[in-house]
Amino acid sequence: MSQTATSRVQEHIGDPVADDSEVDRGKLKEIFNDIQEDFRYDHELNGCLNCGICTATCPAAHYYDFSPREIVQLLWTENLEGIYDAMQEKIWACAQCYTCAARCPFGNSPGGLIMLMRETAIKHGMESAKNVLRPFSRVMLKLISTGNQLSPDMITADGFADWGPNVSKIDAPLEILRKAIPMPTLNTTKTAWEVNLKTSVELYTIWEETGVLDQLETIDENLFDVITDIMDERRDDLEDWLEEQEDDED
Ligand code: SF4
Ligand code: SF4
């Protein structure tokens, strides 16, 4: 599964154009191994012609200094410094639309590979991951602490002042817009906000067991602490409720 033993580029060749990395080579290898050893890696990367079809069809490449072809080439040639560099900023430009995966003649999924790099950036607590996720901390708090989705009527300039000046653009007549463009869910905070206690605790347990909360602790310890407190309270509430049910049956 892992291709570590059959490195396509020998270590001594390195990258002839990259400056010396600030990060030692052992760390760079560790990061690359984490990406490469994921069971999805070999499925997402089969080879690369460097044809650029992925970049030509990528919406993010039109707006940012970003190219899925470049990312795939970095991985394919095992350019450790380049991979690390791309994880500082470029990988966060991807919109995860997977147009690239539909078009690649090699059956690669550049978007899928970028997802693996993002997960690895989070695992290693990279500053880029912290910066990208910081504006969403309130959203994550809502999602994890309530077990519910972010309903459209929550997205207002007042509710998300920390999203910056552009938040005013979403201060639109959302009710009217939603009626004009019906969506599968018209849930609002009124109709969608109460998740039953048992479901909420089950969701916490899933996030705990799957390592989501560990990742959260790596990138935002304060948020993790707040959520852990909420989680403990919910578990106590559920136990109390279960005991009450038992008492009622006796
Ligand atoms: S990932 Fe696919 S589409 Fe993109 S450059 Fe490589 S072979 Fe071409
Ligand atoms: S998944 Fe990412 S890299 Fe691929 S086309 Fe969409 S935005 Fe571009």
Side-chain angles (χ1 to χ4, degrees):
M1 186 71 82
S2 162
Q3 296 165 348
T4 315
T6 56
S7 179
R8 297 180 189 92
V9 172
Q10 294 305 306
E11 198 180 326
H12 65 272
I13 295 176
D15 177 358
V17 292
D19 293 333
D20 283 347
S21 173
E22 290 167 10
V23 181
D24 74 70
R25 194 144 183 95
K27 183 71 179 168
L28 294 178
K29 275 186 180 167
E30 190 191 328
I31 288 170
F32 178 57
N33 285 346
D34 280 342
I35 299 167
Q36 195 186 33
E37 283 171 2
D38 189 285
F39 72 94
R40 292 164 288 179
Y41 187 82
D42 288 344
H43 178 70
E44 312 287 46
L45 181 57
N46 303 300
C48 181
L49 291 166
N50 210 358
C51 65
I53 291 173
C54 51
T55 297
T57 57
C58 169
H62 285 280
Y63 296 100
Y64 301 103
D65 176 20
F66 166 73
S67 156
R69 178 198 59 76
E70 181 191 340
I71 305 283
V72 174
Q73 278 290 312
L74 291 172
L75 293 166
W76 180 240
T77 59
E78 301 184 3
N79 181 329
L80 304 191
E81 290 85 359
I83 291 166
Y84 183 82
D85 260 9
M87 290 169 81
Q88 301 315 303
E89 187 172 352
K90 289 188 177 177
I91 58 167
W92 303 101
C94 168
Q96 294 289 306
C97 68
Y98 291 93
T99 308
C100 50
R103 300 285 164 84
C104 173
F106 249 85
N108 298 329
S109 173
L113 291 165
I114 287 164
M115 179 60 82
L116 299 183
M117 294 168 85
R118 288 177 172 184
E119 289 174 12
T120 305
I122 291 170
K123 179 181 171 190
H124 286 267
M126 283 187 182
E127 226 26 63
S128 66
K130 292 180 184 174
N131 290 339
V132 165
L133 295 174
R134 192 166 292 126
F136 298 98
S137 59
R138 199 180 316 194
V139 176
M140 288 199 286
L141 176 63
K142 291 282 184 206
L143 291 174
I144 295 179
S145 64
T146 64
N148 212 325
Q149 77 268 33
L150 187 73
S151 68
D153 64 340
M154 286 182 66
I155 304 175
T156 62
D158 285 346
F160 291 91
D162 46 348
W163 281 8
N166 283 340
V167 78
S168 62
K169 290 182 188 158
I170 57 161
D171 194 13
L174 291 177
E175 300 247 338
I176 295 169
L177 290 177
R178 285 207 301 278
K179 277 178 191 154
I181 312 167
M183 295 184 290
T185 169
L186 288 177
N187 285 333
T188 66
T189 48
K190 285 197 187 103
T191 58
W193 213 242
E194 289 302 320
V195 165
N196 111 8
L197 189 57
K198 184 165 174 280
T199 304
S200 190
V201 169
E202 284 171 352
L203 284 167
Y204 289 148
T205 307
I206 290 169
W207 288 318
E208 235 170 9
E209 294 296 319
T210 54
V212 170
L213 292 176
D214 288 341
Q215 291 186 339
L216 184 62
E217 188 177 15
T218 310
I219 57 164
D220 191 335
E221 213 173 326
N222 289 337
L223 180 59
F224 171 81
D225 288 343
V226 172
I227 287 173
T228 305
D229 287 346
I230 294 172
M231 192 181 304
D232 290 343
E233 263 176 43
R234 290 275 165 101
R235 283 183 166 141
D236 289 344
D237 289 348
L238 180 62
E239 271 180 32
D240 292 346
W241 183 81
L242 289 171
E243 277 169 21
E244 276 172 27
Q245 301 304 304
E246 278 177 19
D247 289 348
D248 287 350
E249 280 172 19
D250 291 341

